[in-house]
Amino acid sequence: MDLVVDGWFHERGMLWPGQAMSLQVKKILDHHRSDFQDILVFESEKHGNVLVLDGVIQVTERDEHAYQEMIAHIPLYAHPNPKKVLVIGGGDGGVLREVARHPGVEEIVECEIDEGVINVAKKYFPSLSKGYDDPRVTVKIMDGAKFMDENQDSFDVIITDSSDPVGPASVLFETPFYNAMYKSLREGGIVCTQGECIWLHLDLIKPLVESIRGTYSTVEYAYTTIPTYPSGQIGFIIATKGRGECKKPERKPSEEVQEVLKYYTPELHEAAFVLPAFAKRSIFGEI
């Protein structure tokens, strides 16, 4: 299937049948296949540089902050004193950039299975990949589940920034992976994972939430709005080990940090957990 036709990139996917997202292409910067997936980078007319994996938009420079800030800062500000943070996926570096805004964090480990994503991010997305420049960051090119199996009871916060549950990311949406995260968490820890879209994927979200509620102390769902993701919305599954809910931040950004953030605020942190009636009813069986 041609991804670019008549100067427009068209995102079509099996997870959003009957709809598509199109962006006007100014210039194709890179298109190749890594050991794991098809990687396309193009300069768009209105959204800056765009990263596409297996035909699906992962990042645009125009709106990436709405996702990167929320998936990182919701769990980090919900934790009173995170010291060790694990990022699984997130090869573009955006989550690392946001984690690095927390001065109390002492160690940041990223497990990315596809080094090809890191390479194109460093070349074409410097505003995201600057996260790799932080001296607290260690990068592991390996399977995240294997790393967690080797590092149990180790992390205060685990953030899984994955693509959709097809191809190499499919295992990240299965119960065994959530069990591995639980074992790798310290007591009082928090996991936050990419949780798909309430308009399209309730059939994926509900059984996953139900399957892990018996393991984790709390399981919640929050979301952000982002124009270039399917239906303009994407959620986060947020689960804890030996502590309460994450709806209210334990800490707040300093004035200096808040001035550079484009999306996250403490008020929006709390609002992100307020779900529409249909989603709350479907995921948690309540209104």
Side-chain angles (χ1 to χ4, degrees), residues 220-237:
E220 301 169 276
Y221 190 89
Y223 70 94
T224 188
T225 60
I226 177 166
T228 56
Y229 282 2
S231 295
Q233 179 271 339
I234 197 164
F236 311 109
I237 294 174

Side-chain angles (χ1 to χ4, degrees), residues 12-30:
R12 306 178 184 92
M14 65 179 69
L15 291 176
W16 43 94
Q19 68 184 64
M21 174 71 181
S22 298
L23 293 176
Q24 193 170 11
V25 177
K26 191 173 184 179
K27 181 182 179 182
I28 294 178
L29 301 174
D30 193 340

Side-chain angles (χ1 to χ4, degrees), residues 119-156:
N119 293 337
V120 297
K122 288 182 176 180
K123 186 172 182 179
Y124 299 110
F125 298 89
S127 64
L128 284 88
S129 61
K130 66 182 182 182
Y132 288 103
D133 298 333
D134 192 284
R136 295 169 290 175
V137 172
T138 302
V139 179
K140 305 285 187 180
I141 306 299
M142 64 181 296
D143 177 72
K146 184 176 186 298
F147 178 81
M148 289 188 293
D149 186 56
E150 298 169 354
N151 293 271
Q152 300 195 359
D153 298 308
S154 296
F155 295 97
D156 300 302

